[in-house]
Amino acid sequence: MDKEKQLDDFFGLKNDSSESDKDNGIKETLIKRLSKKSKIRLIPRVLSKKERYFVIVSALIIIGSIISIPFTTYFHFTKAVADEGGTLIEGIVGVPRHINPVLAQTNDADRDLVKLIYSGILKYNEEGKLVPDLAKSYEISSDGLNYTVYLRDDIKWHDNTKFTSEDIIFTIETIQNPDYGSPQRINWQGVEIEKIDDNAVMFKLKNKYAQFLNNLTLNIIPAHLWQEVRPINFGLTELNLKPIGTGPFKFNKLQKDQTGQIVSYELGINKNFYSQKPFIEKILIKFYPNEETMIDAYNKNEVDNLSSISAKGLISLKFKQRLDIKKIPMPRYFGLFFNQNQSKFLSDKNIRLALSHGTNKNAVLKEVLDDNGLVVNSPMLGGVLDFDQNITKYDFDVQKAKDILKNIGWEEKNEDGILVKKSEKLSLKLTTSAWPELAQVAQIIKDQWKEIGVELNIEVMSTPDLQQVIKDRNYQILLFGEILNTDPDPFSLWHSSQKRDPGLNLALYDNRSADTLLEEARQTLSPIERIQKYNDFQRILIEDNPAIFIYSPYYLYAQSEDIKGFSSKIISMPADRFQGMENWYIQTQRVRR
């Protein structure tokens, strides 16, 4: 039915030709007399279904646009910024024992809490560079032996006591005193400290040390609370678990289970914090015996963040969409350290070279870490200082490895495919930790080296047993990791004077030219000149091939997507993920642009 017919039916008019003129006149008269409301009611009767749908949609769009105008105007002229409030709940593997910078060195749970509660003279920023913290500035004498630090004068301890240079002097003298058993003592031997006034202190070195400023990231404890604690009670006082610091967060309370072990730890805002006041109102740390139980707690919604997680652990996570997995570079690497004193085979550079070409580092990184890391070819990792990457690389090449061994007389194989010469098998022993990741790496290396005819026997040890083996240097090949600073000093790892415990020269490396470069570099204050010396050092080291450097894993931090403000691009140790945490936020507010 067309519109004209609908209109005629509506008015009750006929549609024959004899009366059309008369009817048309009547229609026009009636339409003119209709009220506005009646005309509106008439519209649906004269429009098609498609036209009515179009009119309705158009009307809704117009109405929606009118309603949205104030909202779009508001969002256009404002922006979301950090606001106070919210609680962060993080799971950590381990249990705190000494939340005390003098003693906290081997326990990640301790170091994490120390980072939140205490402050250092200097700190690392998001780029891994040193910047003032408790200090407002510092000066280095022209001879590089004296470091004068000028302190902020607006700092208070959590108990509202004023912070002064006396606190720094007390902390360092406590570390230097062997009666307190501080793991930090080795970093402060031979350093004198002198008070200038309440807001200034001078450190005096006997020899120049370019990386000394790294020592000033040491967190400081309050003299007025600790000075009466005797050495015998230093590790037992309640201050180790209920600390007083100057950091952005302060101790609120802790909870223990029936066995007396701490299961959770609550921190609140330090409202007197001398720098940016934290936005996040409360931090709740929950402690777990291993990664599996921590992941299970996340899957049950008991925690929001996971302090660290392995590449394998990522597979077990539910609700991954709620997490932002931070892949943060750290100056650490894992490698195979050759003890040439324990194996005549390893004393042959050709065999070491063949082993290097027989190692597929990319396969290890893929299979063990799911590519969550970097293949490395040198102990000098890029961080704050950029080292030369144009270095010798022993690329994976099975045929080349076989040819090297063949050229030195290793041609025959036994029924197991292992090379033999004069009835002696080419057999080696690898020692490593029971940590699953390293045990897996060891097995992969074993399979790879069998392809070139080398037998590898694996010895997996518990941490205490492995520590003793390392101390005694009682191994042929050690699969282990080493950690540096973002401004590294590899002296203790590769100088010949560090071949014996407590030195960390795990390959017992001994090269006079390399020693000289390491000695000179740590006394060279100019970063450019220091980089050049380290570049020369790494070229000598790689040529000697005392170790196979395999990979540098990323630090994987599983953070809730609700948390904003994380900005670290590199960290020196896991606890440094909290550096700058006062800038993190959960809540937001809108302000005018």
Side-chain angles (χ1 to χ4, degrees):
M1 183 182 294
D2 60 21
K3 295 177 185 178
E4 185 69 19
K5 181 68 171 57
Q6 292 176 11
L7 194 62
D8 289 342
D9 290 345
F10 178 75
F11 286 109
L13 299 174
K14 296 178 180 180
N15 199 24
D16 56 82
S17 57
S18 61
E19 297 189 10
S20 71
D21 292 341
K22 180 179 178 181
D23 288 346
N24 286 340
I26 294 172
K27 282 193 290 186
E28 290 176 4
T29 301
L30 288 172
I31 289 172
K32 288 178 181 179
R33 291 179 179 179
L34 282 173
S35 67
K36 185 182 293 185
K37 183 181 293 187
S38 297
K39 290 178 182 179
I40 293 172
R41 290 175 178 172
L42 174 63
I43 292 175
R45 300 289 297 273
V46 299
L47 295 178
S48 69
K49 184 177 181 180
K50 186 175 181 181
E51 288 171 327
R52 289 199 300 271
Y53 177 76
F54 176 78
V55 170
I56 292 171
V57 171
S58 299
L60 290 174
I61 291 174
I62 293 170
I63 294 169
S65 299
I66 294 171
I67 293 173
S68 68
I69 288 174
F71 293 100
T72 55
T73 301
Y74 173 72
F75 280 98
H76 178 74
F77 289 103
T78 62
K79 61 180 179 181
V81 297
D83 196 10
E84 296 179 2
T87 298
L88 180 153
I89 305 176
E90 181 155 321
I92 289 177
V93 174
V95 179
R97 294 183 303 154
H98 300 111
I99 308 170
N100 173 351
V102 174
L103 301 177
Q105 276 297 298
T106 58
N107 184 340
D108 281 340
D110 286 342
R111 288 188 291 195
D112 286 348
L113 292 171
V114 163
K115 178 63 66 173
L116 295 168
I117 294 170
Y118 292 94
S119 304
I121 301 169
L122 302 180
K123 65 180 180 180
Y124 296 106
N125 67 7
E126 66 276 6
E127 303 286 345
K129 297 180 179 179
L130 289 170
V131 296
D133 192 3
L134 294 170
K136 63 180 180 182
S137 64
Y138 61 87
E139 295 175 353
I140 305 175
S141 62
S142 58
D143 60 6
L145 296 177
N146 296 328
Y147 290 70
T148 304
V149 175
Y150 301 97
L151 304 171
R152 299 175 62 126
D153 60 2
D154 58 347
I155 304 171
K156 290 185 178 181
W157 294 98
H158 294 161
D159 63 1
N160 215 33
T161 303
K162 183 174 174 53
F163 171 86
T164 71
S165 59
E166 290 286 353
D167 297 302
I168 293 176
I169 294 170
F170 172 79
T171 300
I172 293 169
E173 289 182 345
T174 299
I175 289 171
Q176 291 175 329
N177 187 338
D179 292 341
Y180 290 91
S182 173
Q184 296 267 19
R185 183 168 176 259
I186 190 172
N187 295 328
W188 293 95
Q189 288 180 319
V191 178
E192 295 182 18
I193 184 167
E194 177 183 312
K195 178 179 178 179
I196 296 176
D197 57 38
D198 281 350
N199 295 311
V201 65
M202 179 184 290
F203 300 97
K204 298 180 178 181
L205 280 59
K206 294 180 179 178
N207 299 295
K208 285 194 293 186
Y209 180 41
Q211 288 91 351
F212 176 72
L213 289 176
N214 288 316
N215 290 4
L216 299 186
T217 59
L218 170 73
N219 298 109
I220 305 302
I221 62 175
H224 69 283
L225 296 177
W226 284 95
Q227 60 190 356
E228 300 302 325
V229 180
R230 298 173 59 191
I232 194 172
N233 297 321
F234 197 77
L236 304 175
T237 176
E238 192 177 50
L239 283 169
N240 284 300
L241 295 179
K242 298 180 179 180
I244 299 294
T246 55
F249 293 91
K250 63 180 182 178
F251 169 77
N252 277 353
K253 61 183 180 181
L254 58 82
Q255 182 179 351
K256 297 182 180 181
D257 62 15
Q258 293 179 344
T259 66
Q261 184 167 282
I262 297 175
V263 294
S264 68
Y265 203 90
E266 184 181 302
L267 301 174
I269 293 176
N270 173 16
K271 295 182 179 179
N272 293 324
F273 188 52
Y274 51 88
S275 188
Q276 165 70 51
K277 180 183 174 183
F279 294 105
I280 294 177
E281 187 174 24
K282 185 169 66 175
I283 299 174
L284 182 61
I285 304 292
K286 296 186 176 182
F287 305 101
Y288 300 94
N290 51 51
E291 183 182 72
E292 290 76 17
T293 54
M294 180 178 68
I295 291 174
D296 185 56
Y298 170 78
N299 290 338
K300 293 178 179 178
N301 292 317
E302 294 176 7
V303 296
D304 302 322
N305 291 9
L306 304 177
S307 61
S308 67
I309 189 166
S310 67
K312 298 297 183 184
L314 289 174
I315 300 172
S316 305
L317 287 177
K318 298 178 182 178
F319 319 114
K320 290 183 183 177
Q321 70 278 8
R322 300 193 319 213
L323 290 173
D324 182 5
I325 307 297
K326 309 288 186 183
K327 299 182 179 182
I328 315 169
M330 277 181 61
R332 59 177 173 170
Y333 61 84
F334 289 85
L336 300 164
F337 300 90
F338 300 139
N339 185 347
Q340 300 176 40
N341 295 339
Q342 293 284 326
S343 169
K344 63 179 181 180
F345 296 143
L346 293 174
S347 65
D348 187 335
K349 184 178 178 181
N350 288 298
I351 291 180
R352 301 199 305 272
L353 186 62
L355 296 176
S356 295
H357 285 297
T359 303
N360 188 342
K361 301 177 184 180
N362 286 304
V364 173
L365 186 67
K366 176 66 178 176
E367 190 168 343
V368 178
L369 296 182
D370 196 22
D371 287 331
N372 286 299
L374 299 169
V375 164
V376 295
N377 300 287
S378 166
M380 303 309 297
L381 306 181
V384 175
L385 302 181
D386 292 323
F387 301 108
D388 187 4
Q389 300 302 308
N390 186 24
I391 54 178
T392 299
K393 297 181 177 67
Y394 301 110
D395 297 327
F396 176 57
D397 189 331
V398 171
Q399 190 56 51
K400 189 171 185 177
K402 290 180 177 179
D403 290 343
I404 292 172
L405 293 173
K406 182 178 180 180
N407 291 337
I408 59 174
W410 293 95
E411 299 183 72
E412 297 182 15
K413 290 186 177 181
N414 64 16
E415 64 276 9
D416 296 322
I418 303 303
L419 290 167
V420 295
K421 183 168 62 172
K422 296 179 180 179
S423 301
E424 187 174 29
K425 288 193 301 183
L426 183 47
S427 180
L428 297 166
K429 181 180 177 183
L430 182 150
T431 303
T432 192
S433 163
W435 185 31
E437 184 177 291
L438 290 185
Q440 185 183 4
V441 172
Q443 185 60 50
I444 294 172
I445 298 297
K446 177 178 180 175
D447 295 340
Q448 290 180 355
W449 286 2
K450 188 174 182 180
E451 289 295 310
I452 64 173
V454 177
E455 180 182 68
L456 186 64
N457 299 300
I458 299 174
E459 181 181 39
V460 174
M461 308 187 77
S462 65
T463 299
D465 291 340
L466 185 63
Q467 288 174 341
Q468 187 60 48
V469 165
I470 292 174
K471 182 177 180 180
D472 297 338
R473 302 296 195 260
N474 186 22
Y475 50 83
Q476 291 185 8
I477 302 172
L478 179 68
L479 171 57
F480 204 62
E482 292 186 329
I483 300 176
L484 301 90
N485 283 316
T486 52
D487 182 359
D489 175 17
F491 182 92
S492 65
L493 306 178
W494 295 104
H495 194 274
S496 62
S497 66
Q498 305 298 304
K499 289 191 294 184
R500 298 300 175 190
D501 186 74
L504 295 174
N505 185 346
L506 302 180
L508 284 74
Y509 182 58
D510 194 336
N511 183 297
R512 184 168 295 180
S513 297
D515 281 352
T516 299
L517 287 166
L518 290 173
E519 293 163 6
E520 292 176 350
R522 65 185 344 218
Q523 296 187 38
T524 302
L525 298 182
S526 167
I528 296 175
E529 294 178 21
R530 191 159 71 253
I531 289 173
Q532 184 57 55
K533 292 184 184 298
Y534 283 141
N535 285 336
D536 292 341
F537 156 74
Q538 73 172 344
R539 278 191 283 271
I540 294 172
L541 179 78
I542 293 169
E543 177 64 27
D544 289 339
N545 200 18
I548 298 176
F549 307 102
I550 306 177
Y551 63 86
S552 174
Y554 293 136
Y555 178 77
L556 301 180
Y557 180 33
Q559 189 180 65
S560 168
E561 280 199 327
D562 292 337
I563 299 171
K564 308 298 179 185
F566 184 93
S567 60
S568 294
K569 297 179 177 61
I570 184 172
I571 58 177
S572 288
M573 63 178 62
D576 287 338
R577 71 187 182 277
F578 290 134
Q579 192 62 60
M581 190 179 171
E582 61 269 21
N583 297 311
W584 297 7
Y585 60 94
I586 298 173
Q587 306 293 341
T588 61
Q589 61 175 325
R590 301 199 69 86
V591 298
R592 186 179 296 275
R593 291 182 184 273

